[in-house]
Amino acid sequence: MSGPVLPRRGFLAATAGFAAALTLAACGDGATPTQAAPTGAAGGWTFTDDRDKKLDLPKRPSRVVAQVGSAAALWDFGVRPVGVFGPHKLKDGTRDPQVGNVDITKVQGLGNVWDEFNVEQYIALQPDLLVSSMYIKGTLWYVPEKSKATIEQVAPTAGIMLTGRSAMQVIGKYEELAKSLGADMRGVPEAKARLEAASKELAAFKDLKILMMSAGPDSMWVVNPPEYPDIVHLTQNGLSVVTPSKVDEGGFFQTLSWENADTYDADVILYDTRTQSLKPAEMMKKPTFAKLPAVKAGQLYPWSAEAPYSYQGYADFVEGLVANLKKASKLP
């Protein structure tokens, strides 16, 4: 993660899945199909994904494999994938936060890091459908280019677009997909009400200038709000988030050296909590960062950068953020 410019895919992969010490998780003996209602009408199953691709199958898919972000969203709506790929297991064997509430002892792990996807295990699962998010339209997140053709021959694929959308739009698309798969939606209305209530509270903090960032050993990345569904949701509900004056190729962020950590003023800093991003104690070893007013004031709070795109996932995220912002104040 070093160098003056990090390509978009490299940044996203690094902050979403790159950790050399992570091991390939293979915990598949307990895999069970998605909990789905009987197929119902004789017309089969259809779903139009965000590639504008209409999927048309003779019956509703019951054996779903999903990238961890998609799996986390679908799980909260009541869909139980049989397999997952992407960061789902930490070195100590516990769940990676990115996999949300998914019970990783009951799904087959097909790969835990970038460019890792066990095609043979995927075929053995006999999947009916593969689901993944997309940062770039047409490119399924964590589906390796080298195996893409083979993977797409095994079962139909569905892509859900993230970039340039609000979290509510993304959640709505996953809700649509989950309903089509026969999910029971248990707990969804209550979670939606929680999210709506917490989101309304955000307007109370409109006077705070907030910087959102991810951290590496040699650089910090100031994220560009319009490209992130979660930040779009926050700004739509009243938060003032710093927009970098200059963004790197791809548009997702601006790379700054730690010497330039003070480029932007902020009352509050939200830091990326994903596995590969530096932790606060590591960031505090960077003198320029430690001297920032928000840091000195103790107004450095976690940012759940890949909260599951479900009402439950976002209710937890926004409620936690509101609780932290209540402790913050405008700095001189």
Side-chain angles (χ1 to χ4, degrees), residues 60-120:
R60 175 186 288 155
S62 65
R63 297 184 65 79
V64 177
V65 169
Q67 196 274 341
V68 293
S70 299
L74 291 172
W75 190 279
D76 285 347
F77 282 114
V79 175
R80 298 292 179 259
V82 296
V84 299
F85 57 100
H88 60 279
K89 198 173 190 179
L90 300 177
K91 286 188 290 185
D92 62 3
T94 60
R95 282 187 306 207
D96 188 295
Q98 291 182 54
V99 81
N101 292 316
V102 175
D103 184 346
I104 62 172
T105 69
K106 295 184 177 180
V107 297
Q108 174 73 49
L110 301 176
N112 204 44
V113 297
W114 182 258
D115 212 32
E116 190 174 64
F117 189 111
N118 191 314
V119 177
E120 290 75 19

Side-chain angles (χ1 to χ4, degrees), residues 152-167:
E152 293 189 341
Q153 286 176 2
V154 176
T157 62
I160 309 297
M161 193 68 185
L162 303 183
T163 308
R165 294 187 168 183
S166 73

Side-chain angles (χ1 to χ4, degrees), residues 2-251:
S2 60
V5 176
L6 191 66
R8 170 169 57 185
R9 189 182 76 171
F11 168 77
L12 292 170
T15 58
F18 175 76
L22 291 182
T23 58
L24 171 63
C27 41
D29 291 339
T32 54
T34 178
Q35 294 175 343
T39 301
W45 178 83
T46 63
F47 178 76
T48 301
D49 75 357
D50 288 331
R51 297 170 294 185
D52 304 317
K53 180 178 178 180
K54 184 176 182 180
L55 305 177
D56 195 342
L57 300 177
K59 65 177 183 178
R60 175 186 288 155
S62 65
R63 297 184 65 79
V64 177
V65 169
Q67 196 274 341
V68 293
S70 299
L74 291 172
W75 190 279
D76 285 347
F77 282 114
V79 175
R80 298 292 179 259
V82 296
V84 299
F85 57 100
H88 60 279
K89 198 173 190 179
L90 300 177
K91 286 188 290 185
D92 62 3
T94 60
R95 282 187 306 207
D96 188 295
Q98 291 182 54
V99 81
N101 292 316
V102 175
D103 184 346
I104 62 172
T105 69
K106 295 184 177 180
V107 297
Q108 174 73 49
L110 301 176
N112 204 44
V113 297
W114 182 258
D115 212 32
E116 190 174 64
F117 189 111
N118 191 314
V119 177
E120 290 75 19
Q121 287 182 345
Y122 178 60
I123 294 170
L125 284 174
Q126 298 181 301
D128 301 316
L129 180 68
L130 180 146
V131 182
S132 182
S133 295
M134 299 182 295
Y135 285 97
I136 303 168
K137 189 169 183 176
T139 301
L140 298 177
W141 192 226
Y142 269 83
V143 172
E145 193 64 33
K146 64 188 178 185
S147 311
K148 177 182 174 183
T150 303
I151 290 167
E152 293 189 341
Q153 286 176 2
V154 176
T157 62
I160 309 297
M161 193 68 185
L162 303 183
T163 308
R165 294 187 168 183
S166 73
M168 296 306 290
Q169 288 175 302
V170 179
I171 292 170
K173 193 67 177 179
Y174 275 114
E175 182 178 23
E176 178 191 343
L177 175 58
K179 283 180 177 177
S180 80
L181 293 171
D184 58 27
M185 299 286 146
R186 192 174 306 164
V188 170
E190 295 83 357
K192 189 173 183 179
R194 283 174 52 210
L195 174 57
E196 289 172 350
S199 298
K200 286 178 181 177
E201 290 194 69
L202 293 171
F205 311 108
K206 65 181 186 300
D207 292 334
L208 295 175
K209 187 181 291 186
I210 298 171
L211 183 141
M212 301 179 71
M213 52 85 72
S214 187
D218 304 311
S219 306
M220 63 177 278
W221 295 279
V222 177
V223 299
N224 188 27
E227 299 296 331
Y228 294 80
D230 52 349
I231 309 179
V232 170
H233 181 74
L234 300 180
T235 57
Q236 285 179 341
N237 284 277
L239 287 193
S240 175
V241 179
V242 170
T243 298
S245 58
K246 180 182 179 182
V247 295
D248 297 3
E249 182 183 358

